[in-house]
Amino acid sequence: MAALVRLSSVCHRGVSPLLFRTSSLIRPLAIQKKDHDCPYLISAKIHATPSNYTGSGSKAASLHWTGERILSIVLLGMAPMAYYFPGPAVDYSLAAALTLHGHWGLGQVLTDYVHGDFKIKMANAGLFILSTVTFAGLCYFNYHDVGICKAVALLWSK
Amino acid sequence: MVARQGLCSSRSQFGILYRHAVPMGTTAKEEMNKFWTKNTRLNRPVSPHISIYQWSVPMMMSISHRGTGVALSSGISAFALAALVLPESYPYYLDLIHSMSFGPQFLAFSKFALAFPVAYHTFNGIRHLMWDVGKGFKIPEIYRSGYVVIALTILTSIGLAAV
């Protein structure tokens, strides 16, 4: 008659087990055999992308996130470095770290508020130009002028 | 098929029933784009949200983190642009501003105004990194760490402005 079928069999298809952890499915035995021939009789549309379905699962977004955090920690460490060991090495490292941290941060802001393929593309292009000019300007300042560390020191000495 | 579905769903423990899960043919990104093009096309009105929801300290701190970040980034970009465009050197312009300044309070205030967003963004950034390793998510902890960040920010900014 009715057979209790645990949904764990469905879980192996990659659906989040959290949804069905304690649920059991009761279905008539008569249908069971037919399911083997045609597994997708009744289906709910969900987004389930187990690794065996996706051709090339990209870890790009995840790695980007980790990179953002690592850069933040590196930038944090640069503050005492700039205070105790001011000089060209810290100046250029600071220029690079600040620009990239700002670039990625503004990128997240754009992702949150800008929608639509064209607008996203334009906004990101504009951001890229801004970040490039920023980095160029900071490097120029480091080379031709006093440099970032000295600039802050001078500003604070007044 | 419907009858079979009816047979099953009447026995399910929960409202929703998934016999078998079928992945959709579109990616999440495609689905998002579809939503936004339809949304813009229909010009749907937006329900009041930030205008009616009661503001909380964590909410204000979160948007301030974003605000200080954007402001600092813009400041750095403006500085870099100025470095490329302006003819004279940094010490020259610094002396120029110093000669125009309206007294020591002006200088102390400017130092405070510069130090404050840097300090806030830095301390709140550390708070964020703590969350990223999974620490401090309980609501009392959120508020406590938030108040610590605010206190440290004010103290640091005053301390730096006094130097």
Side-chain angles (χ1 to χ4, degrees):
Chain A
M1 285 289 228
L4 261 139
V5 180
R6 292 204 67 98
L7 270 175
S8 53
S9 61
V10 182
C11 289
H12 291 315
R13 292 183 185 278
V15 176
S16 167
L18 205 69
L19 288 169
F20 315 113
R21 209 181 1 211
T22 53
S23 67
S24 338
L25 189 59
I26 301 171
R27 60 180 181 187
L29 198 66
I31 306 170
Q32 219 170 357
K33 200 179 174 196
K34 202 171 180 193
D35 280 327
H36 286 301
D37 306 318
C38 192
Y40 305 119
L41 286 170
I42 299 162
S43 57
K45 279 184 159 187
I46 54 136
H47 264 298
T49 47
S51 50
N52 56 337
Y53 280 116
T54 56
S56 57
S58 172
K59 279 176 71 178
S62 169
L63 290 172
H64 180 89
W65 186 92
T66 311
E68 285 178 330
R69 317 296 129 157
I70 292 175
L71 180 66
S72 301
I73 294 168
V74 166
L75 191 56
L76 219 54
M78 279 196 200
M81 290 289 284
Y83 183 78
Y84 291 110
F85 310 107
V90 177
D91 278 342
Y92 286 100
S93 311
L94 214 51
L98 277 171
T99 317
L100 191 57
H101 183 73
H103 179 76
W104 280 347
L106 289 173
Q108 294 291 357
V109 175
L110 290 183
T111 309
D112 278 351
Y113 302 136
V114 179
H115 303 288
D117 276 333
F118 180 71
K119 279 195 231 169
I120 291 171
K121 224 174 244 182
M122 287 288 103
N124 279 111
L127 176 64
F128 194 83
I129 293 169
L130 180 70
S131 296
T132 310
V133 170
T134 303
F135 186 61
L138 287 176
C139 288
Y140 179 89
F141 186 79
N142 282 335
Y143 189 82
H144 290 284
D145 216 319
V146 293
I148 297 175
C149 296
K150 188 81 182 134
V152 176
L154 280 174
L155 184 67
W156 239 258
S157 66
K158 300 284 175 187
Chain B
M1 200 182 284
V2 177
R4 212 180 295 126
Q5 196 167 21
L7 210 94
C8 296
S9 55
S10 65
R11 298 297 200 110
S12 71
Q13 307 257 17
F14 302 93
I16 305 162
L17 181 77
Y18 294 111
R19 284 291 302 280
H20 293 279
V22 183
M24 292 173 80
T26 51
T27 64
K29 209 175 201 174
E30 287 165 0
E31 288 293 311
M32 279 197 305
N33 280 334
K34 272 163 68 182
F35 167 78
W36 280 109
T37 45
K38 183 174 182 183
N39 202 49
T40 351
R41 178 172 48 88
L42 293 172
N43 207 22
R44 290 165 165 159
V46 178
S47 305
H49 45 295
I50 53 177
S51 50
I52 55 162
Y53 201 86
Q54 184 177 49
W55 281 94
S56 63
V57 170
M59 275 169 79
M60 291 189 268
M61 290 190 71
S62 178
I63 192 62
S64 301
H65 189 76
R66 178 159 274 191
T68 50
V70 172
L72 290 168
S73 208
S74 311
I76 291 171
S77 293
F79 179 81
L81 210 64
L84 287 168
V85 163
L86 293 175
E88 300 292 339
S89 71
Y90 177 78
Y92 173 84
Y93 290 112
L94 196 61
D95 288 332
L96 195 67
I97 296 168
H98 191 233
S99 66
M100 289 194 308
S101 75
F102 308 104
Q105 308 96 319
F106 174 77
L107 287 165
F109 178 75
S110 342
K111 285 183 192 172
F112 182 85
L114 276 168
F116 191 85
V118 176
Y120 178 83
H121 193 83
T122 305
F123 290 125
N124 206 41
I126 296 170
R127 185 167 165 243
H128 262 288
L129 288 170
M130 288 291 109
W131 291 333
D132 288 335
V133 294
K135 289 181 147 71
F137 274 110
K138 293 205 188 83
I139 296 296
E141 289 172 335
I142 304 255
Y143 276 83
R144 213 175 297 139
S145 60
Y147 292 135
V148 168
V149 163
I150 293 172
L152 281 173
T153 302
I154 294 172
L155 288 171
T156 309
S157 306
I158 292 174
L160 283 174
V163 166

